[in-house]
Amino acid sequence: MEQPNQKLNDSIIYHYLSLLDLPKNTIILHNAAWRTLLIDNENRFVETNIYLTINASDHWSFIFVDTMKKTWTPFDSFFGTIEYEPYQKILENFFGKLVYKKAECLTQNDGVSCGLYLLYMLECHLKNEKFSKRFSPRKYRKEIFEILTQELNK
């Protein structure tokens, strides 16, 4: 975690996301389990905002599904890395027809900080905050490291 050019692993991403205050009727489903959770709880998520984390081709991104407005929005700091059409088909199997919504995302300029962009953009989206054009992955990595270190020392 302390290495500036090291990718964030699943454990760090999932632990940090578990610390976020989620608005009512909002859940985060993690990469490996979200398809199974949707299948097992098909009718449970009817009026829920859902964040689906994705790690595909060694790249982190997420999809936001607004089940009330029937929209889905991918957030990707390295857009074009992941083919999202299959995800739309999977999601529509559970929620019916969904409308694709394009998001304005920050763009990473390296091959290792996608996990930091995932966490930052998801956290901003949860808080209804705009993404800062001055976002610094290096500073954000330090903030996350401090938060997780404090959490482990409790």
Side-chain angles (χ1 to χ4, degrees):
M1 177 71 181
E2 296 178 69
Q3 302 299 321
N5 292 324
Q6 183 180 5
K7 292 184 179 185
L8 299 186
N9 64 34
D10 296 14
S11 298
I12 292 170
I13 287 175
Y14 298 156
H15 188 74
Y16 183 77
L17 290 173
S18 74
L19 299 175
L20 298 177
D21 290 326
L22 300 180
K24 186 179 177 183
N25 295 332
T26 299
I27 60 169
I28 298 173
L29 299 178
H30 302 299
N31 185 54
W34 65 263
R35 290 183 202 179
T36 303
L37 287 170
L38 286 175
I39 291 166
D40 292 344
N41 298 283
E42 190 169 347
N43 296 318
R44 180 175 163 215
F45 302 121
V46 173
E47 293 184 1
T48 305
N49 290 323
I50 302 171
Y51 292 87
L52 306 168
T53 63
I54 298 170
N55 187 317
S57 303
D58 206 26
H59 174 68
W60 283 102
S61 64
F62 73 93
I63 294 174
F64 173 68
V65 180
D66 186 327
T67 61
M68 291 156 287
K69 293 180 182 174
K70 302 296 251 176
T71 61
W72 73 285
T73 310
F75 289 79
D76 189 347
S77 61
F78 212 63
F79 209 75
T81 307
I82 299 171
E83 177 61 49
Y84 287 100
E85 188 175 311
Y87 291 101
Q88 181 170 6
K89 291 177 182 175
I90 292 167
L91 294 171
E92 287 182 347
N93 284 336
F94 299 105
F95 303 113
K97 183 73 175 151
L98 295 173
V99 175
Y100 168 83
K101 220 174 134 186
K102 184 170 175 30
E104 293 296 322
C105 297
L106 296 177
T107 304
Q108 67 186 80
N109 58 6
D110 61 26
V112 296
S113 59
C114 54
L116 294 164
Y117 279 85
L118 159 90
L119 294 176
Y120 176 74
M121 290 191 296
L122 196 148
E123 189 170 6
C124 286
H125 195 266
L126 278 170
K127 296 175 180 178
N128 290 318
E129 295 176 356
K130 292 189 183 274
F131 306 140
S132 171
K133 301 290 183 194
R134 295 174 29 172
F135 171 69
S136 167
R138 185 172 293 241
K139 287 181 186 175
Y140 195 63
R141 178 184 293 273
K142 287 179 185 176
E143 289 174 28
I144 290 171
F145 181 74
E146 288 172 13
I147 290 168
L148 293 177
T149 301
Q150 289 173 1
E151 187 67 23
L152 290 172
N153 291 329
K154 283 186 178 178

